[in-house]
Amino acid sequence: MNTTKWAAALSFAATLYLTPQITYAQDSLFIIPKPLVQLAKKGHYIYTTHTDVFANPDFKEAAALLKEHPYLKFEEVKILKNGKHLPKQGVALLKAAKDDPLAQDAYRLEITPYRIVITAHQPQALLQGISTLRQIAYTRKDTKSLPAVWIEDRPAFGYRGLMLDVSRHFLPLSFLKKYVDLLSIYKLNTFHWHLTDGAGWRLEIKKYPELTRFAAWRTDASWKNWWNNGRKYVEMGNPNASGGFYTAEQARELIAYAAKRGITVIPEIEMPAHSEEVLAAYPNLSCYGLPYKNSEFCIGNEDTFKFLENVLDEVLEIFPSKYIHIGGDEADKTAWKQCPKCQKVIKDFDLTDEHGLQSYAIKRMEAYLSKKGRKLIGWDEILEGGLAPDATVMSWRGEKGGIEAANSGHDVIMTPGSHLYLDSYQTNPIGQPESIGGYLPLKKVYSYQPIPAEIELAKQKHILGVQANVWAEYMPTSNQVDYMVFPRAIALSEVAWTPESRKNWDDFQARLQQHYRLLQQFNVNYYPPSNNLSILSSFDMASKLARVTINSEQFQPEIRYTIDGSIPTVNSPIYKDGISLNHSGTVKAVIFKDQLPIGKVQELEIDLHKAIGKKVTYNNKYSSNYPAQKELTLVNGQTGDLTYGDGQWQGFLGDLDVTIDLENPQALQQLKMRYMQLTGPGVYMPAYVKVALSNDGISFKALPQIDNDVPYTDDSLRFKTFIFDLKGHTARYLRITAKNEKKGFMFSDEIVVY
Ligand code: ACM
């Protein structure tokens, strides 16, 4: 559509919704996650050149962590004998009295002008109080002076995790320590260490030296280059070998470092899939007995179980965690289907099929871990073919697996790709380092609610908590990990700790502004808020109004906008809280600072068109994995955003073939339809789009097709709008087809008809 022409021809109705700006007192504390109860008191505690630190004997070790508190100088922790009076000055770590109503997982932090007191029943809870105190110091401009406050605080969820994939790109131990430090400052208590995958085995296993002599090293430092160029491993010592591993001793060192900070390290050893590297080193464990053939262990070979049990024996020696993660995701069943040994197991054990075979393998591993006093966690594929009796499920393919598992009485950790996969883009991909795809801005992470409505009340206790995952295919350096993880992990921290009733996006954003100071002190290469704007619109069928919202990553920016197609100026209206339009048009917006525009002008065409709300018949069904708003999607007046997972892009595995019924013959002007391409996850443009018109729904007149001109070899995020000139045509029915030539996913946006 020629926007200026349309804009000139149309009039607009714009309504502003005003909300008061939140203001914050000078001396507020900016704690994330938001404590359960926080009461400001009068005065300040001022650190001097030496501050005494006192601790109950149970908390002596925890007190040592205060050495890492900036500006708190002390030599040795003074042990408080039982029954001794509370010191008059300094910092005291007190054990809660038996009759103190403080919960077992709670801490109390009191800062007064005389002293700082942290009280808890347990060291784990006390450590959370220390994290709060450290964080207060790191987030203040004047670190030596702490405002008086009374805090009582406890977590909403017991499991608060962050995962890191060190297989796709190996990262040094020193970086993992920094990662763990930051977890503890944000009260995340679980580090899920993804140690093995096709791109490299990362943990020393003494019984199987080939795992670290060979399977830990590959031909290219970049995962992408390696993946696209033969995927071969090389021996350690080869001048071009790239990779690495952690010795058992180094793993123990990290576990101890994390434990001191209240963090459990859970190892993940992938099985039965994502194991190309193991099978290259030990090809006898694959169905064909050959390297570089499959990703899956042969389940019909008893040597597989011997190997896995031996590996786990050493893993259990190193890792004291109750939970052990065995992967379980994305097993390709092709080799098992053709393998006589696997088929024999299916027959002998009366299993339904290859899903049953996967379930058989997981159940055996669960029994093994259970015998050793541990618990198995796996990705949600472990539900397929029947869940092992005592397994805990990590729900990653959305929430479905988690809902099913919790409702059937299994423990669950919520980690849906839609909200908690930190390998997705956090802003418009244009200008960003390449990532795997998807679009997950900070606000969306923050919006996550870990207990889905579909879980029965009595089963909600099975949601142990949440975790964000950091898959590192496109994170070749620790700097890039920093960039993708922060600040989104800070939003995760509040999702995991703070009850929904205490969460508030505006308040979070205000507190977050002080946390860049903390990240800077830890040398975190975080993603800074951009000046990009995201303009979204939805259509209200009842009022026939388009409702436009503009989101910014900046805190309380001055956004100016126009609705007449012109470039916003310093005199254009300031955006507050939404714009309503009763006609088509283009919203343009940009941030102003000191009277000048900063960043790019963003725009969104609002199409209040003829097809909105009309009946769409699918001659070819959309994919059940990406139904978006089902039959309403293509004509609901709402366009998709930057990701195909946003509920407005509809996915097709075959051709798109739909007929729209406009209810009566109408003089037409134009039809347009947008597609997306992102080749990484297999999303391609149609080869061409066709439109045919009819008045009776039986005989259609075809218009010239429009061919795609976006190369399939372009691996950046691309959009293309196919525009048909319909001037001079009258029709009631429009049949639209789009050719899915690449047989991957094809994603269609709104079909706009004028
Ligand atoms: C996964 O993302 N494959 C668990």
Side-chain angles (χ1 to χ4, degrees), residues 508-569:
F508 171 78
Q509 247 203 332
R511 281 176 283 129
L512 178 65
Q513 302 314 305
Q514 307 307 316
H515 284 250
Y516 295 110
R517 182 192 307 282
L518 183 156
L519 297 177
Q520 286 158 9
Q521 288 170 84
F522 278 83
N523 291 318
V524 176
N525 179 46
Y526 61 85
Y527 166 78
S530 82
N531 293 317
N532 292 340
L533 294 174
S534 147
I535 310 179
L536 297 172
S537 112
S538 61
F539 182 75
D540 179 49
M541 292 285 179
S543 67
K544 306 273 186 253
L545 289 175
R547 168 110 175 128
V548 179
T549 52
I550 307 177
N551 288 300
S552 168
E553 297 167 22
Q554 299 291 347
F555 179 58
Q556 296 184 342
E558 179 185 318
I559 300 170
R560 293 184 183 270
Y561 71 95
T562 61
I563 49 177
D564 63 359
S566 65
I567 303 290
T569 70

XYZ file of all heavy atoms in Angstrom, residues 508-569:
512
model
N 9.647 -3.212 38.079
C 10.842 -4.012 37.767
C 11.802 -3.209 36.895
O 13.011 -3.152 37.148
C 10.436 -5.311 37.051
C 11.611 -6.082 36.493
C 12.417 -6.850 37.321
C 11.926 -6.020 35.133
C 13.507 -7.553 36.812
C 13.016 -6.714 34.618
C 13.811 -7.479 35.463
N 11.246 -2.576 35.865
C 12.097 -1.809 34.947
C 12.812 -0.665 35.687
O 13.976 -0.373 35.419
C 11.240 -1.230 33.831
C 11.542 -1.830 32.480
C 11.117 -0.905 31.362
O 10.194 -0.112 31.541
N 11.754 -0.991 30.217
N 12.105 -0.056 36.617
C 12.715 1.032 37.388
C 13.882 0.509 38.223
O 14.962 1.103 38.257
C 11.666 1.681 38.293
N 13.674 -0.640 38.876
C 14.761 -1.217 39.690
C 15.919 -1.673 38.805
O 17.089 -1.516 39.141
C 14.222 -2.395 40.514
C 13.454 -1.954 41.766
C 12.855 -3.145 42.502
N 11.662 -3.640 41.831
C 11.443 -4.897 41.489
N 12.335 -5.824 41.768
N 10.332 -5.242 40.878
N 15.552 -2.244 37.647
C 16.588 -2.765 36.740
C 17.605 -1.692 36.343
O 18.786 -1.990 36.137
C 15.915 -3.345 35.492
C 16.860 -3.894 34.412
C 17.634 -5.103 34.936
C 16.086 -4.278 33.150
N 17.155 -0.454 36.254
C 18.060 0.618 35.816
C 19.319 0.682 36.680
O 20.385 1.049 36.202
C 17.350 1.982 35.838
C 16.104 2.048 34.965
C 16.303 1.457 33.575
O 17.197 1.859 32.850
N 15.487 0.476 33.214
N 19.189 0.315 37.966
C 20.348 0.363 38.864
C 21.221 -0.886 38.752
O 22.311 -0.939 39.302
C 19.887 0.518 40.322
C 18.948 1.690 40.539
C 19.531 2.986 40.005
O 20.699 3.274 40.207
N 18.696 3.763 39.305
N 20.717 -1.907 38.058
C 21.465 -3.164 38.005
C 22.523 -3.183 36.909
O 23.390 -4.046 36.912
C 20.497 -4.345 37.880
C 19.826 -4.644 39.182
N 20.083 -5.760 39.928
C 18.939 -3.912 39.902
C 19.380 -5.724 41.041
N 18.669 -4.614 41.048
N 22.439 -2.236 35.984
C 23.512 -2.149 34.990
C 24.827 -1.810 35.697
O 25.901 -2.248 35.295
C 23.157 -1.135 33.898
C 21.950 -1.601 33.088
C 20.718 -0.970 33.174
C 22.060 -2.721 32.264
C 19.617 -1.425 32.460
C 20.972 -3.186 31.545
C 19.751 -2.537 31.641
O 18.675 -3.005 30.942
N 24.707 -1.043 36.789
C 25.885 -0.721 37.607
C 26.516 -2.004 38.160
O 27.732 -2.171 38.166
C 25.443 0.192 38.754
C 26.531 0.657 39.677
C 25.953 1.299 40.944
N 24.997 2.361 40.655
C 25.320 3.601 40.280
N 26.577 3.936 40.179
N 24.387 4.500 40.038
N 25.662 -2.914 38.635
C 26.157 -4.191 39.168
C 26.827 -4.997 38.048
O 27.941 -5.502 38.207
C 24.979 -4.969 39.768
C 25.276 -6.311 40.448
C 24.170 -6.622 41.467
C 25.416 -7.481 39.503
N 26.145 -5.093 36.906
C 26.691 -5.879 35.792
C 28.031 -5.299 35.335
O 28.949 -6.033 34.967
C 25.693 -5.920 34.635
C 24.352 -6.611 34.938
C 23.419 -6.524 33.729
C 24.549 -8.077 35.336
N 28.147 -3.993 35.371
C 29.408 -3.351 34.977
C 30.524 -3.733 35.946
O 31.658 -3.981 35.537
C 29.224 -1.827 34.917
C 28.415 -1.398 33.685
C 27.744 -0.040 33.819
O 27.991 0.706 34.765
N 26.882 0.282 32.867
N 30.214 -3.826 37.243
C 31.242 -4.200 38.211
C 31.694 -5.645 38.037
O 32.805 -6.007 38.392
C 30.742 -3.964 39.638
C 30.654 -2.484 39.971
C 29.936 -2.252 41.293
O 30.553 -2.321 42.341
N 28.644 -1.994 41.230
N 30.803 -6.488 37.494
C 31.165 -7.882 37.236
C 31.701 -8.088 35.820
O 31.856 -9.212 35.368
C 29.956 -8.799 37.478
C 29.759 -9.152 38.926
C 29.100 -8.294 39.786
C 30.269 -10.338 39.432
C 28.929 -8.605 41.125
C 30.107 -10.664 40.770
C 29.440 -9.796 41.626
N 31.938 -6.989 35.113
C 32.425 -7.066 33.721
C 31.540 -7.931 32.832
O 32.028 -8.754 32.065
C 33.856 -7.607 33.665
C 34.829 -6.611 34.249
O 34.719 -5.412 33.996
N 35.749 -7.103 35.051
N 30.248 -7.755 32.977
C 29.320 -8.527 32.146
C 29.066 -7.750 30.858
O 28.710 -6.576 30.891
C 27.982 -8.765 32.891
C 26.988 -9.485 31.982
C 28.226 -9.565 34.163
N 29.247 -8.426 29.746
C 29.014 -7.806 28.438
C 27.515 -7.900 28.101
O 27.100 -8.555 27.171
C 29.847 -8.541 27.379
C 29.633 -7.981 25.989
O 29.651 -6.763 25.802
N 29.393 -8.842 25.017
N 26.702 -7.239 28.929
C 25.251 -7.404 28.812
C 24.687 -6.702 27.575
O 25.335 -5.842 26.977
C 24.561 -6.854 30.066
C 24.807 -5.381 30.311
C 24.019 -4.415 29.692
C 25.825 -4.958 31.158
C 24.244 -3.061 29.898
C 26.056 -3.614 31.362
C 25.267 -2.672 30.733
O 25.496 -1.344 30.921
N 23.473 -7.086 27.216
C 22.758 -6.432 26.121
C 22.158 -5.131 26.654
O 21.306 -5.164 27.548
C 21.651 -7.366 25.604
C 20.667 -6.651 24.718
C 20.994 -6.364 23.395
C 19.434 -6.230 25.200
C 20.109 -5.668 22.587
C 18.551 -5.544 24.396
C 18.901 -5.259 23.092
O 18.033 -4.566 22.301
N 22.602 -3.981 26.137
C 22.039 -2.728 26.643
C 20.714 -2.425 25.955
O 20.509 -2.808 24.801
C 23.100 -1.694 26.241
C 23.774 -2.283 25.045
C 23.649 -3.784 25.128
N 19.802 -1.739 26.640
C 18.502 -1.460 26.029
C 18.688 -0.636 24.756
O 19.438 0.335 24.740
C 17.763 -0.674 27.109
C 18.794 -0.228 28.086
C 19.934 -1.183 27.985
N 18.025 -1.053 23.681
C 18.187 -0.351 22.403
C 17.127 0.736 22.273
O 16.210 0.830 23.091
C 18.054 -1.325 21.244
O 16.685 -1.533 20.956
N 17.254 1.520 21.218
C 16.235 2.534 20.936
C 15.178 2.022 19.962
O 14.378 2.789 19.439
C 16.901 3.797 20.392
C 17.762 4.450 21.458
O 17.341 4.556 22.612
N 18.966 4.847 21.101
N 15.211 0.702 19.709
C 14.166 0.122 18.855
C 12.806 0.267 19.528
O 12.701 0.222 20.752
C 14.412 -1.376 18.652
C 15.656 -1.638 17.823
O 16.126 -0.761 17.109
N 16.182 -2.844 17.931
N 11.791 0.414 18.707
C 10.426 0.402 19.227
C 9.712 -0.779 18.590
O 9.962 -1.119 17.441
C 9.699 1.691 18.864
C 10.243 2.967 19.519
C 9.529 4.195 18.962
C 10.072 2.901 21.032
N 8.826 -1.369 19.333
C 7.999 -2.429 18.762
C 6.560 -1.935 18.779
O 6.011 -1.626 19.834
C 8.218 -3.700 19.566
O 7.067 -4.460 19.607
N 5.988 -1.782 17.580
C 4.610 -1.281 17.475
C 3.712 -2.469 17.182
O 3.963 -3.236 16.252
C 4.480 -0.235 16.341
C 5.583 0.832 16.468
C 3.101 0.397 16.348
C 5.549 1.883 15.366
N 2.708 -2.647 18.001
C 1.806 -3.787 17.835
C 0.373 -3.287 17.743
O 0.030 -2.258 18.339
C 1.919 -4.739 19.030
C 3.277 -5.388 19.234
C 3.310 -6.132 20.553
C 3.596 -6.333 18.081
N -0.435 -4.028 16.995
C -1.835 -3.621 16.946
C -2.718 -4.839 17.081
O -2.363 -5.947 16.684
C -2.100 -2.889 15.628
O -2.938 -3.636 14.809
N -3.876 -4.637 17.681
C -4.877 -5.693 17.724
C -6.202 -5.064 17.319
O -6.369 -3.846 17.402
C -4.960 -6.314 19.113
O -5.331 -5.332 20.042
N -7.115 -5.893 16.875
C -8.384 -5.368 16.384
C -9.495 -5.837 17.299
O -9.584 -7.017 17.635
C -8.628 -5.868 14.960
C -9.897 -5.333 14.377
C -9.972 -4.014 13.939
C -11.026 -6.141 14.271
C -11.154 -3.510 13.405
C -12.204 -5.639 13.737
C -12.268 -4.327 13.301
N -10.328 -4.907 17.711
C -11.450 -5.256 18.572
C -12.695 -5.396 17.702
O -13.188 -4.406 17.153
C -11.635 -4.181 19.644
C -12.812 -4.507 20.540
O -12.876 -5.655 21.012
O -13.681 -3.637 20.723
N -13.152 -6.637 17.554
C -14.276 -6.923 16.652
C -15.530 -6.134 17.067
O -16.313 -5.715 16.219
C -14.598 -8.425 16.649
C -13.514 -9.280 16.013
S -13.475 -9.168 14.207
C -12.095 -10.246 13.840
N -15.732 -5.969 18.354
C -16.959 -5.313 18.825
C -16.956 -3.819 18.492
O -17.895 -3.306 17.885
C -17.109 -5.529 20.326
N -15.865 -3.125 18.847
C -15.847 -1.668 18.636
C -15.349 -1.294 17.245
O -15.417 -0.144 16.846
C -14.949 -1.011 19.693
O -13.607 -1.403 19.483
N -14.816 -2.293 16.516
C -14.247 -2.059 15.177
C -13.067 -1.074 15.216
O -12.832 -0.329 14.279
C -15.307 -1.548 14.185
C -16.535 -2.435 14.076
C -16.302 -3.520 13.033
C -17.553 -4.347 12.774
N -17.473 -5.693 13.344
N -12.355 -1.080 16.338
C -11.197 -0.184 16.471
C -9.910 -1.010 16.517
O -9.882 -2.096 17.107
C -11.285 0.620 17.772
C -12.340 1.717 17.860
C -12.343 2.313 19.264
C -12.096 2.800 16.818
N -8.879 -0.446 15.884
C -7.556 -1.044 16.054
C -6.919 -0.393 17.275
O -6.982 0.822 17.440
C -6.701 -0.799 14.824
N -6.340 -1.222 18.113
C -5.688 -0.705 19.319
C -4.184 -0.881 19.139
O -3.697 -2.003 18.953
C -6.198 -1.491 20.510
C -5.422 -1.269 21.760
C -6.238 -0.497 22.764
N -5.504 -0.394 24.017
C -5.279 0.742 24.639
N -5.732 1.876 24.144
N -4.608 0.764 25.767
N -3.469 0.224 19.164
C -2.034 0.194 18.882
C -1.261 0.446 20.172
O -1.573 1.384 20.917
C -1.669 1.275 17.839
C -0.176 1.262 17.548
C -2.460 1.056 16.554
N -0.275 -0.403 20.433
C 0.601 -0.155 21.582
C 2.044 -0.070 21.082
O 2.416 -0.723 20.108
C 0.501 -1.261 22.647
O 0.703 -2.509 22.006
C -0.838 -1.269 23.336
N 2.831 0.750 21.760
C 4.241 0.915 21.389
C 5.097 0.533 22.585
O 4.920 1.074 23.676
C 4.546 2.373 20.971
C 3.568 2.823 19.873
C 5.991 2.506 20.500
C 3.732 4.272 19.441
N 5.985 -0.435 22.377
C 6.857 -0.879 23.470
C 8.291 -0.452 23.212
O 8.769 -0.504 22.083
C 6.820 -2.399 23.580
C 5.500 -2.883 24.139
O 5.130 -2.533 25.250
N 4.767 -3.644 23.342
N 8.945 -0.038 24.293
C 10.347 0.372 24.193
C 11.169 -0.404 25.199
O 10.660 -0.818 26.238
C 10.466 1.863 24.510
O 11.831 2.190 24.692
N 12.440 -0.610 24.890
C 13.342 -1.245 25.847
C 13.910 -0.230 26.824
O 14.486 -0.590 27.846
C 14.489 -1.931 25.085
C 13.997 -3.039 24.179
C 15.060 -3.506 23.193
O 16.256 -3.306 23.452
O 14.674 -4.057 22.149
N 13.772 1.072 26.492
C 14.274 2.124 27.375
C 13.269 2.350 28.502
O 12.084 2.077 28.364
C 14.472 3.428 26.604
C 15.483 3.342 25.476
C 16.915 3.161 25.970
O 17.209 3.331 27.144
N 17.799 2.787 25.066
N 13.777 2.872 29.601
C 12.912 3.157 30.737
C 12.300 4.552 30.579
O 13.031 5.531 30.470
C 13.728 3.066 32.024
C 12.924 3.359 33.258
C 11.792 2.613 33.552
C 13.294 4.383 34.108
C 11.047 2.876 34.684
C 12.558 4.653 35.248
C 11.434 3.902 35.538
N 10.998 4.607 30.569
C 10.261 5.867 30.457
C 10.812 6.790 29.362
O 11.180 7.941 29.618
C 10.239 6.583 31.806
C 9.474 5.769 32.843
C 9.333 6.461 34.182
O 10.066 7.408 34.488
N 8.387 6.007 34.982
N 10.864 6.291 28.143
C 11.371 7.136 27.055
C 10.310 8.140 26.613
O 9.123 7.966 26.910
C 11.610 6.123 25.932
C 10.547 5.089 26.162
C 10.376 4.993 27.657
N 10.756 9.156 25.915
C 9.819 10.109 25.313
C 9.590 9.630 23.876
O 10.446 9.820 23.005
C 10.436 11.512 25.343
C 9.589 12.591 24.732
C 10.357 13.922 24.697
O 11.045 14.250 25.701
O 10.295 14.600 23.659
N 8.463 8.986 23.659
C 8.159 8.473 22.318
C 7.177 9.441 21.667
O 6.144 9.777 22.257
C 7.508 7.078 22.383
C 8.446 6.074 23.059
C 7.113 6.590 20.981
C 7.790 4.742 23.380
N 7.518 9.914 20.485
C 6.573 10.758 19.730
C 6.131 9.997 18.492
O 6.906 9.249 17.906
C 7.226 12.092 19.379
C 7.497 12.930 20.637
C 8.050 14.294 20.315
N 8.355 15.018 21.543
C 7.473 15.806 22.184
N 6.256 15.988 21.700
N 7.821 16.416 23.301
N 4.853 10.202 18.109
C 4.324 9.404 17.012
C 3.411 10.229 16.120
O 2.938 11.316 16.502
C 3.559 8.190 17.563
C 2.246 8.563 18.211
C 1.050 8.514 17.485
C 2.198 8.987 19.538
C -0.146 8.869 18.077
C 1.007 9.348 20.134
C -0.170 9.286 19.394
O -1.351 9.649 19.972
N 3.198 9.700 14.921
C 2.204 10.278 14.017
C 1.319 9.155 13.507
O 1.689 7.976 13.578
C 2.876 10.936 12.797
O 3.589 9.925 12.086
C 3.807 12.059 13.195
N 0.141 9.536 13.023
C -0.740 8.529 12.419
C -1.127 8.957 11.001
O -2.029 8.400 10.401
C -2.000 8.309 13.290
C -2.652 9.639 13.658
C -1.651 7.521 14.537
C -3.926 9.491 14.461
N -0.439 9.946 10.466
C -0.786 10.421 9.118
C 0.324 10.126 8.110
O 0.358 10.705 7.027
C -1.101 11.925 9.148
C 0.119 12.746 9.566
O 1.193 12.140 9.844
O 0.002 13.981 9.637
N 1.244 9.251 8.468
C 2.293 8.877 7.524
C 3.498 9.801 7.564
O 4.524 9.506 6.952
N 3.411 10.910 8.283
C 4.549 11.834 8.319
C 5.580 11.376 9.353
O 5.290 10.566 10.229
C 4.061 13.249 8.642
O 3.531 13.278 9.950
N 6.791 11.918 9.230
C 7.861 11.586 10.181
C 7.598 12.352 11.484
O 7.356 13.562 11.455
C 9.231 12.035 9.615
C 9.485 11.387 8.245
C 10.369 11.737 10.585
C 9.734 9.904 8.282
N 7.641 11.662 12.621
C 7.384 12.366 13.884
C 8.424 13.464 14.142
O 9.609 13.290 13.832
C 7.512 11.268 14.944
C 7.385 9.989 14.209
C 7.872 10.234 12.817
N 7.971 14.577 14.667
C 8.867 15.675 15.019
C 8.741 15.937 16.518
O 7.925 15.308 17.201
C 8.472 16.979 14.288
O 7.236 17.433 14.861
C 8.313 16.759 12.796
